[in-house]
Amino acid sequence: MKNRFSYDRHMIRKLPVVMGLVILVVIMIITNPTRTDFYTWLESQYGIHVSYDINETTYTQIMNGQEKSLNFRSGHIQHAGIFTTYNETFMDAEGKEINIKAIGVMNMFFKR
């Protein structure tokens, strides 16, 4: 009987920690940023603006007051539930590649 009682008391002590972790994971899942959030971040960090048309998506970059068109080369998005990784490659008119890697978690983005 003594062993069972001490086991129950030990589990009760761990309950707040477990509940806290569950709540944290749920918050991270709910606040995982979307692709639209990524495009907003892309514009603020790199000056790359995304425009949607019925038939196509266009990308432009504004640097030093000049706007230049970009071609989307490739992209990869990996959703991991509590965070998302983005890897997108663009090419400008001169043939220079722009590779952008970011991780999104809790409605924030970080360069990787």
Side-chain angles (χ1 to χ4, degrees):
M1 238 0 182
K2 186 177 180 184
N3 287 341
R4 181 163 192 230
F5 178 72
S6 73
Y7 174 76
D8 289 343
R9 196 168 61 175
H10 183 67
M11 290 301 291
I12 289 173
R13 277 196 225 162
K14 287 188 176 185
L15 187 62
V17 173
V18 171
M19 290 302 293
L21 288 173
V22 168
I23 290 170
L24 178 65
V25 168
V26 168
I27 289 171
M28 290 178 77
I29 290 170
I30 291 171
T31 60
N32 193 1
T34 64
R35 188 169 182 87
T36 305
D37 296 330
F38 174 70
Y39 285 145
T40 302
W41 177 81
L42 197 62
E43 186 172 6
S44 69
Q45 290 293 312
Y46 294 95
I48 298 175
H49 178 72
V50 181
S51 300
Y52 300 100
D53 193 1
I54 292 175
N55 297 322
E56 67 179 339
T57 303
T58 57
Y59 301 89
T60 54
Q61 185 176 32
I62 301 173
M63 291 185 71
N64 302 326
Q66 293 188 352
E67 182 176 312
K68 60 182 177 179
S69 180
L70 298 176
N71 293 320
F72 179 78
R73 301 289 290 171
S74 65
H76 178 75
I77 300 172
Q78 183 176 3
H79 297 284
I82 59 174
F83 67 93
T84 304
T85 58
Y86 295 86
N87 186 7
E88 299 209 352
T89 304
F90 302 93
M91 185 175 285
D92 63 10
E94 293 88 36
K96 179 183 167 192
E97 281 194 352
I98 302 167
N99 191 16
I100 298 170
K101 294 180 180 182
I103 185 167
V105 63
M106 294 185 75
N107 283 336
M108 297 180 288
F109 288 94
F110 303 97
K111 296 177 186 178
R112 14 175 226 128

